[in-house]
Amino acid sequence: MVVLEFRDGSSLRDVAARLNLDPSALVRKVQRIAAEHELLEKIKGRWVLTAKGHLVNRWTEDTLISQQRLLDTKPQLRIGTSMWLSEQVIVPYSACLNRDTGHKYNWLILTPNRHFETELLEGTCDFIITCGAPVDPLIAYKKILPEEWIVIVPKTWQKDFKNLKDEKLLQALRKKSFVRHIDINAEEFLNFPERMENISVSVDNLIGIRSAVAKGYGWSLVPRLAVLKELRAQEIVEVSLSELQGIKNNHLSLWWSRARKEHQQLAPTLQQWLLRSLQDS
């Protein structure tokens, strides 16, 4: 601080006044700085900065500016979720999240490749929004909405399936092409006696599933939350199967670390925002 005050060629008395120091006390500080660090030198009875002193001042000023920028920057919080949920709800309603949290944070939406619990426990995500409950007791969670599975078909099939129920509907579906999610065992969900062979396309994400069905490539099985907009816009059609009523549904849930107090305090706000966003979708 003493060296910074000499940047404008101020006299020792002026510097002492700005630092609220006794001039004699300042002289001793200046003499020590000059002797130990060679940042000041006395020329014609006046203390001035050396070349090294000017360099140190520039470095100090740059550092102070950088620190102030960091202080002025909003803290960043990261939400990890699946790709389809990010596209359907999280990103479209992120402005509402900013508003609900008082515009205090920069929210980053991620679709992690690793296990969600790992991301949360290692601190690479601050919140997780996914279906199901965490296993690790260090993770707190809150259920938001049930994850209900439904059968969807292309809109052009609506007339063919309109009056079919249960077994007849299943028989009709078996004859049609199927859009398979490679990680979902639809045969087990639907209690099919054998593997479905009439597969039009296989994909590894729900966005691809609903796009393929909307294009007429076949029928499929998805969580209702993944196709809310498409159902409302009648881009795809839901068909009712009693076989699905016995499925034990998971819940869409919000996860956070029990060790993070700020996250614990923010969780109720995120719960309300997420529920309202899902209802508005």
Side-chain angles (χ1 to χ4, degrees):
M1 185 62 73
V2 170
V3 178
L4 280 174
E5 291 297 337
F6 279 92
R7 60 190 161 187
D8 298 323
S10 301
S11 67
L12 189 141
R13 187 175 296 278
D14 290 338
V15 172
R18 287 201 295 271
L19 295 176
N20 197 26
L21 288 174
D22 181 79
S24 59
L26 179 59
V27 167
R28 291 192 293 272
K29 287 180 179 290
V30 169
Q31 289 172 338
R32 186 173 66 252
I33 291 170
E36 295 178 4
H37 305 290
E38 300 179 349
L39 302 180
L40 292 164
E41 61 182 346
K42 199 169 189 179
I43 299 177
K44 294 182 179 181
R46 189 181 185 91
W47 287 102
V48 296
L49 289 168
T50 63
K52 183 179 178 181
H54 282 293
L55 287 174
V56 169
N57 267 1
R58 283 199 293 272
W59 177 85
T60 302
E61 288 171 335
D62 289 344
T63 301
L64 290 173
I65 291 171
S66 297
Q67 289 177 341
Q68 187 59 49
R69 285 175 179 167
L70 287 174
L71 290 173
D72 293 340
T73 301
K74 296 178 184 178
Q76 185 179 78
L77 290 179
R78 296 148 298 181
I79 296 176
T81 189
S82 57
M83 190 180 297
W84 68 265
L85 190 59
S86 173
E87 183 219 24
Q88 283 279 84
V89 179
I90 310 305
V91 171
Y93 289 90
S94 58
C96 298
L97 177 59
N98 275 319
R99 182 198 63 207
D100 291 353
T101 53
H103 301 279
K104 295 179 181 178
Y105 307 96
N106 285 322
W107 292 96
L108 177 61
I109 314 301
L110 305 172
T111 53
N113 293 321
R114 298 189 302 169
H115 194 279
F116 281 162
E117 291 199 22
T118 302
E119 297 283 349
L120 197 58
L121 293 172
E122 291 188 1
T124 47
C125 283
D126 300 291
F127 294 94
I128 293 291
I129 299 173
T130 188
C131 289
V135 175
D136 198 300
L138 295 177
I139 299 175
Y141 79 104
K142 179 71 174 179
K143 294 179 180 178
I144 306 298
L145 277 179
E147 179 194 37
E148 179 188 2
W149 287 83
I150 61 173
V151 170
I152 57 172
V153 301
K155 184 179 180 181
T156 54
W157 296 9
Q158 189 170 14
K159 290 182 180 180
D160 297 335
F161 287 84
K162 185 176 181 180
N163 298 317
L164 298 180
K165 300 292 182 183
D166 296 336
E167 187 58 35
K168 288 185 178 181
L169 178 56
L170 285 174
Q171 290 175 2
L173 287 172
R174 288 193 188 100
K175 296 176 183 178
K176 293 284 190 176
S177 56
F178 179 65
V179 180
R180 171 178 288 279
H181 191 300
I182 60 175
D183 294 328
I184 296 173
N185 189 339
E187 295 94 333
E188 183 176 320
F189 272 69
L190 298 169
N191 198 26
F192 277 6
E194 56 189 24
R195 183 180 177 86
M196 286 177 284
E197 299 294 340
N198 188 16
I199 298 172
S200 61
V201 63
S202 297
V203 296
D204 67 351
N205 62 84
L206 291 171
I207 294 175
I209 294 287
R210 69 171 185 246
S211 295
V213 174
K215 289 290 186 180
Y217 297 162
W219 64 279
S220 194
L221 183 68
V222 296
R224 183 188 294 276
L225 293 175
V227 292
L228 292 174
K229 292 180 181 178
E230 289 74 18
L231 287 172
R232 190 176 295 118
Q234 295 187 329
E235 297 173 8
I236 57 177
V237 177
E238 174 188 356
V239 295
S240 179
L241 271 178
S242 58
E243 294 284 346
L244 292 177
Q245 294 176 4
I247 295 176
K248 184 180 179 181
N249 293 315
N250 274 323
H251 279 75
L252 186 70
S253 302
L254 175 71
W255 300 2
W256 66 93
S257 171
R258 295 184 188 277
R260 304 292 295 274
K261 290 184 178 179
E262 183 181 16
H263 297 173
Q264 180 77 26
Q265 294 169 352
L266 276 173
T269 300
L270 266 70
Q271 292 167 32
Q272 294 170 11
W273 159 76
L274 182 56
L275 180 59
R276 187 171 61 252
S277 299
L278 287 164
Q279 291 171 340
D280 291 344
S281 295

